[in-house]
C-alpha cells in the first residue's frame, strides 16, 4: 500500500535491476521465438476471445502485444450516463495448448497503472506465461482508463515536495482541475466499482476464471474481487496485504515505527549509537540545512522540521537495499549536519514511469474507504511518527468527494479457493500483522485453503525476492486445489537482511595503505 508521508513516493516494489535484466532477456527471447513461428501471437489470441484485441506496443517491452478497451458507465446505477473506457493489455500464452485460466495482475498504489508496470512485472511471471495469458487492466482512474493524474512534483525542490502545506495546495488545485473533466465525478472510483470493471473485462475476453495476483493496494482489490465474484477466481496471491479494514493513514504510524525500530536493532553492531543518533536528530529540529539535489547537484536551502524528517525516512524502509544505507545517513545528519544521504535515499525511491501514481485516483479511494474511519482506528500511534499521516490525509480528504462504500466491503469472507498470502517482515506499510489477520479470516472453516508466507527480512512486496516467484508459479500451476497448498517456503525464510552500508573512509595523507 502506498502512501508514505509524501503519498506518491511509496509504491509496490520492483525487482532488482539485475533480476529484471536476466528475467527480461529470457522472456523476450522466448516470446520473440514464439511470435516468429507460424500462426501464434496476436491473431490466435484474438480468435480465442470474444473481445476485439489489436496489436500494440508498451514501453519497456520490445515485442508486439495485444491491447483492448471496454466501455463502462462511470456510475453503475446510470448505465446510460457518462461512459469511460477501461483499457487492458494481454500478453498471450507462449504455448499452443494454453490453459483457460488467465493471470490478472492487480497493481498497487492506489493509483498505479497496471499497463505501465507490466514491463517490471513480466520477469516474475515468465514461467506462468508459458501456458497462461497474462492480463494487465488499468483500473479506472489510472493509466489510460479515465486517468485522474495530478501534475508531477518530482522535479520540484525537495522541501516543496515534502512540505505539508505545499502538498495541500497542490492537492486542492488538482482536485479542482479533475472535477472539470467529463468523467470528473470523483465519487465513482472506489475499489468496489473498479472490480466490477475487472469482471466485465473477464467476460469480454471469455476467461472462465482468473488467477489473481495483487500487490500492496492490489491485495485490497483482489480481496474485493474475490468477495464479489468468488466463483470467477481459481487461485489468489496477495503480496503485502492491505486489508479493507486497515484504516490506512492511521496504520502508517505504528507500522513505520516498528520497521524503523527493527532497522536500528538489526544494525546495533555496525552502528552501536544509532538509536541515540536518531533521537539526537529529532531533538535538533527544526533546523536550516543545505542539500545538493541528487540528480542535478544544485544546492537547496530549506528548514527541516519533524514532519519533514519523518517523511524523508519512511520511503527507504520499503526496500531493504535502500534501508541498508539509512543508518549511515542518519548518523551523518545527527553528528555532522549532512542531510544529503537522507534526502538522496528519499528521492531514489519510486522512480520510473511505472511507479508513478495517479494521485486523483489515490485520494478518491483513500478518502472514500479509509479516511472516514480514521477516528475509529484502534492502532496506537508510533512513538516518533505520532499522527503525522492521519492528520495529512484527514486534511486532504476534507473537501474530496467521497464515494459510497458498502458495509460488506470491510469484511473478508472465507476463501472459496486457494489463497497464498505473503508478507515482508520489515515492511513499513503492510507488515505481517495485516496478512496474519486476513489469512485467519480467509481460512475460516477451510484452513487448508490458505497459507501465510512471511519473509522475515524483506520489505514491501516479496514476490521479486529470491525463490518466491517459483513458489508463486508452483501454487498457481498446481493442477488441483489440494496440490496447491501448502508450498515449501523454507528457501524464502532464510533470506538475510542486506548488510549496513559503510561510507568509504579516506586515508589520511602519509598513512600506511
Amino acid at each position: 500500500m502506498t502512501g508514505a508521508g509524501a503519498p506518491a513516493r511509496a509504491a509496490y516494489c520492483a525487482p532488482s535491476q539485475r533480476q529484471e535484466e536476466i528475467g527480461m532477456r529470457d522472456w523476450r527471447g522466448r516470446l520473440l521465438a514464439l511470435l516468429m513461428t507460424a500462426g501464434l501471437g496476436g491473431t490466435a489470441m484474438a480468435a480465442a476471445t470474444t473481445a476485439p484485441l489489436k496489436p500494440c506496443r508498451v514501453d519497456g517491452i520490445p515485442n508486439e502485444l495485444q491491447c483492448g478497451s471496454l466501455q463502462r458507465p462511470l456510475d453503475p446505477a446510470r448505465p446510460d450516463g457518462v461512459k469511460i473506457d477501461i483499457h487492458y493489455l494481454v500478453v498471450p500464452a507462449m504455448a499452443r495448448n494454453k490453459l483457460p485460466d488467465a493471470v490478472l495482475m492487480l497493481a498497487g498504489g492506489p493509483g498505479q497503472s497496471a499497463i505501465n508496470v507490466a514491463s517490471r512485472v513480466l520477469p516474475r511471471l515468465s514461467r506462468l506465461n508459458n501456458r497462461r495469458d497474462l492480463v494487465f487492466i488499468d483500473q479506472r482512474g489510472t493509466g489510460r482508463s479515465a486517468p485522474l493524474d495530478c501534475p508531477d512534483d518530482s522535479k520540484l525542490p525537495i522541501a516543496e515536495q515534502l512540505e505539508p502545506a505545499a502538498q495541500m495546495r497542490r492537492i486542492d488545485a488538482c482536485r479542482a482541475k479533475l472535477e472539470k473533466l467529463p468523467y470528473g465525478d470523483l465519487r465513482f472510483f472506489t475499489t468496489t466499482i473498479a472490480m466490477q470493471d475487472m469482471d466485465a473485462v473477464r467476460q469480454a475476453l471469455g476467461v472462465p476464471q482468473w488467477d489473481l495476483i495483487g500487490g500492496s493496494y492490489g491485495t485490497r482489490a483482489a480481496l474485493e474481487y474475490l468477495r464479489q465474484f468468488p466463483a470467477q477466481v481459481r487461485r489468489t496471491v496477495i503480496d503485502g496485504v492491505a486489508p479493507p479494514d486497515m484504516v490506512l493513514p492511521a496504520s502508517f504510524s505504528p507500522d513505520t515505527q516498528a520497521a524503523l525500530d527493527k532497522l536500528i536493532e538489526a544494525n546495533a553492531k555496525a552502528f552501536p549509537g544509532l538509536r541515540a543518533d536518531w533521537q539526537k536528530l529529532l531533538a535538533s529540529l527544526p533546523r536550516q540545512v543545505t542539500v545538493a539535489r541528487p540528480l542535478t547537484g544544485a544546492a537547496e536551502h530549506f528548514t527541516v522540521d519533524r514532519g519533514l524528517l519523518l517523511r524523508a525516512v519512511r520511503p527507504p524502509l520499503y526496500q531493504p537495499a535502500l534501508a541498508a544505507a539509512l543508518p549511515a545517513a542518519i548518523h551523518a545528519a545527527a553528528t555532522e549536519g549532512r542531510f544529503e544521504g537522507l534526502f538522496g535515499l528519499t528521492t531514489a525511491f519510486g522512480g520510473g514511469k511505472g511507479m508513478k501514481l495517479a494521485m486523483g485516483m489515490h485520494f478518491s479511494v483513500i478518502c472514500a474507504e479509509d479516511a472516514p474511519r480514521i477516528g475509529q482506528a484502534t492502532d496506537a500511534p508510533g512513538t516518533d511518527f505520532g499522527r503525522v499521516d492521519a492528520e495529512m490525509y484527514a486534511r486532504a480528504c476534507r473537501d474530496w468527494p467521497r464515494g459510497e462504500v458498502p458495509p460488506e466491503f470491510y469484511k473478508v469472507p472465507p476463501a472459496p479457493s486457494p489463497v497464498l498470502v505473503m508478507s515482508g517482515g520489515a515492511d513499513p506499510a503492510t507488515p505481517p500483522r495485516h496478512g496474519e489477520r486476513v489469512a485467519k479470516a480467509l481460512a475460516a472453516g477451510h484452513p487448508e485453503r490458505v497459507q501465510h508466507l512471511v519473509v522475515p527480512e524483506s520489505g514491501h512486496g516479496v514476490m521479486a525476492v529470491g525463490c518466491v516467484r517459483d513458489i508463486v508459479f508452483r501454487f498457481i500451476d498446481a493442477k488441483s486445489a489440494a496440490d496447491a497448498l501448502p508450498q515449501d517456503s523454507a528457501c524464502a525464510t532464510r533470506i538475510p537482511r542486506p548488510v549496513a552500508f559503510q561510507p568509504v573512509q579516506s586515508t589520511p595523507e602519509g598513512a600506511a595503505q
Side-chain angles (χ1 to χ4, degrees):
M1 196 77 168
T2 71
R9 292 199 175 281
Y12 184 52
C13 295
S16 70
Q17 185 65 34
R18 179 61 176 162
Q19 287 174 317
E20 281 192 342
E21 291 172 354
I22 293 173
M24 186 60 80
R25 283 200 301 267
D26 177 65
W27 178 83
R28 287 172 180 169
R30 286 184 292 136
L31 183 57
L32 181 60
L34 176 68
L35 292 176
M36 292 175 64
T37 59
L40 292 183
T43 304
M45 180 64 197
T49 66
T50 60
L53 290 166
K54 298 180 180 179
C56 64
R57 296 196 177 269
V58 173
D59 288 347
I61 303 174
N63 307 94
E64 186 176 86
L65 302 174
Q66 295 287 314
C67 289
S69 66
L70 185 69
Q71 197 170 74
R72 296 282 295 164
L74 176 67
D75 177 359
R78 300 177 60 194
D80 296 329
V82 175
K83 301 291 197 302
I84 60 173
D85 290 327
I86 303 298
H87 288 259
Y88 50 90
L89 167 72
V90 177
V91 182
M94 291 182 282
R96 287 180 181 273
N97 58 334
K98 76 171 186 179
L99 295 169
D101 51 299
V103 176
L104 175 64
M105 182 69 201
L106 296 163
Q112 196 173 53
S113 160
I115 293 176
N116 286 348
V117 83
S119 62
R120 290 177 177 263
V121 175
L122 279 172
R124 310 174 205 171
L125 305 180
S126 57
R127 290 182 68 189
L128 286 171
N129 195 208
N130 284 336
R131 297 191 63 194
R132 290 175 172 84
D133 295 336
L134 307 182
V135 181
F136 300 83
I137 304 173
D138 273 350
Q139 185 169 329
R140 59 168 59 198
T142 73
R144 308 172 192 178
S145 300
L148 297 177
D149 293 317
C150 292
D152 183 9
D153 63 3
S154 63
K155 293 182 173 59
L156 293 173
I158 294 173
E160 192 171 346
Q161 290 184 44
L162 301 178
E163 202 272 321
Q167 282 188 337
M168 290 305 110
R169 289 192 295 270
R170 293 196 299 273
I171 289 169
D172 289 342
C174 181
R175 184 195 69 248
K177 182 178 180 181
L178 293 175
E179 288 182 311
K180 296 177 182 178
L181 293 170
Y183 51 85
D185 192 332
L186 303 178
R187 298 173 299 164
F188 298 107
F189 291 84
T190 62
T191 307
T192 296
I193 297 175
M195 293 308 101
Q196 295 165 13
D197 296 338
M198 302 289 179
D199 196 63
V201 172
R202 180 194 63 79
Q203 295 178 54
L205 290 175
V207 174
Q209 288 184 308
W210 293 123
D211 296 309
L212 300 176
I213 298 180
S216 191
Y217 162 73
T219 66
R220 176 180 289 191
L223 290 169
E224 177 61 3
Y225 185 92
L226 193 61
R227 183 188 71 81
Q228 291 191 67
F229 307 102
Q232 277 65 60
V233 181
R234 175 179 172 271
R235 305 277 160 82
T236 303
V237 178
I238 47 178
D239 181 7
V241 183
D245 64 348
M246 186 179 190
V247 192
L248 174 64
S251 69
F252 276 157
S253 180
D255 290 340
T256 307
Q257 186 73 54
L260 179 61
D261 289 344
K262 184 173 182 178
L263 176 79
I264 291 173
E265 293 167 8
N267 290 280
K269 290 185 178 179
F271 290 85
L274 185 57
R275 189 172 296 279
D277 285 342
W278 172 245
Q279 293 303 322
K280 177 182 177 181
L281 184 56
L282 287 172
S284 72
L285 304 177
R287 63 193 290 182
Q288 292 288 322
V289 302
T290 299
V291 175
R293 284 189 68 87
L295 297 180
T296 66
E300 292 189 15
H301 311 278
F302 55 92
T303 299
V304 177
D305 60 15
R306 189 183 186 91
L308 193 60
L309 177 66
L310 296 174
R311 287 178 172 83
V313 167
R314 176 183 284 123
L317 290 170
Y318 277 63
Q319 297 183 15
L322 286 178
L326 262 180
I330 291 172
H331 179 73
T335 62
E336 304 171 31
R338 294 191 292 108
F339 283 75
E340 287 84 1
L342 274 177
F343 288 101
L345 289 171
T346 299
T347 54
F349 181 83
K353 179 180 178 182
M355 304 299 280
K356 299 298 182 184
L357 303 185
M359 293 309 297
M361 182 273 201
H362 179 91
F363 284 108
S364 293
V365 169
I366 300 300
C367 294
E369 299 170 7
D370 296 84
R373 304 173 68 247
I374 290 178
Q376 307 167 29
T378 58
D379 288 330
T383 303
D384 300 323
F385 287 84
R387 290 180 50 80
V388 170
D389 297 301
E391 291 170 356
M392 188 278 289
Y393 273 97
R395 164 61 183 84
C397 293
R398 186 183 65 192
D399 300 317
W400 202 277
R402 293 181 179 179
E404 183 177 347
V405 181
E408 297 79 12
F409 171 79
Y410 296 105
K411 301 174 183 177
V412 178
S417 52
V419 181
L420 180 60
V421 182
M422 304 193 297
S423 303
D427 187 346
T430 56
R433 72 184 183 104
H434 300 294
E436 181 179 353
R437 187 171 79 256
V438 167
K440 183 178 180 180
L442 290 168
H446 291 279
E448 75 281 359
R449 292 180 181 172
V450 182
Q451 180 179 352
H452 186 198
L453 165 60
V454 177
V455 183
E457 301 299 342
S458 183
H460 188 54
V462 305
M463 200 167 125
V465 175
C467 61
V468 176
R469 70 182 69 186
D470 296 322
I471 295 172
V472 170
F473 169 76
R474 293 195 301 269
F475 167 70
I476 292 179
D477 199 54
K479 288 184 171 58
S480 69
D483 294 334
L485 294 175
Q487 287 290 325
D488 182 357
S489 60
C491 59
T493 59
R494 294 192 296 264
I495 297 171
R497 175 185 287 267
V499 297
F501 167 77
Q502 293 283 359
V504 176
Q505 301 294 327
S506 59
T507 303
E509 188 175 349
Q513 298 291 320

